[in-house]
Amino acid sequence: MADYQEYVAEAKQLLALATSVDGQPSIRVVGFGQDAKQPNRFYIVSKPNATKIEELKQNEQVAFTTLPGAGGKRMSSNQAVAKISDKQWSDIEPLFADNPGWHAGHPEPETETIIELTFESVLLDSFVEAPESISFN
């Protein structure tokens, strides 16, 4: 059995987030922080005027995949919802504390929009282990 948290760590807090509005897909790489109390919830911080914010307001259904880590370890899901969060930066700041590269691209995160990415299931895949699906229901 694969270790889910090991796959999260291999992602290095990066994932490709796919949105779709009116049949037009769009994908971008974003940084994320994981909520330790809810392992199937990631937080993404974005400029308020970013295209993805408008897309999520129109369609919260998303898909994502993490970038491959050691041995090709990656996670993906098309059972995900991304919506604008009511949380403040101070609520999630510790999730990004050990990510200086992320902070370089987000010098004023308190002014940005927080997105909650929640997924019902995730596929753990790699170049060396058989794929495994994990459900959070």
Side-chain angles (χ1 to χ4, degrees), residues 8 17 36 49 51 53 55 61 84 93 106 109 116 122 125 130:
V8 172
L17 179 68
N49 61 349
T51 302
I53 298 298
E55 292 172 349
Q61 299 295 316
I84 308 306
E93 182 176 9
H106 297 268
E116 290 182 13
V122 67
D125 204 358

Side-chain angles (χ1 to χ4, degrees), residues 20-94:
S20 180
V21 175
D22 296 329
Q24 178 62 48
S26 184
I27 192 163
R28 74 277 292 153
V29 175
V30 297
F32 74 90
Q34 182 191 30
D35 184 342
K37 295 176 186 167
Q38 289 186 284
N40 65 323
R41 176 163 297 157
F42 295 161
Y43 289 94
I44 299 164
V45 180
S46 178
K47 305 279 187 257
N49 61 349
T51 302
K52 69 179 156 285
I53 298 298
E54 290 307 312
E55 292 172 349
L56 293 174
K57 288 178 182 177
Q58 294 179 56
N59 183 2
E60 297 176 339
Q61 299 295 316
V62 299
F64 74 88
T65 188
T66 60
L67 305 182
K73 289 183 178 174
R74 59 203 180 276
M75 304 179 300
S76 60
S77 180
N78 62 3
Q79 301 292 315
V81 173
K83 55 186 167 181
I84 308 306
S85 177
D86 292 331
K87 293 194 181 282
Q88 301 298 310
W89 168 244
S90 58
D91 298 326
I92 66 165
E93 182 176 9

Side-chain angles (χ1 to χ4, degrees), residues 31 64 92 99 105 117 128:
F64 74 88
I92 66 165
N99 193 334
L117 173 64
V128 294

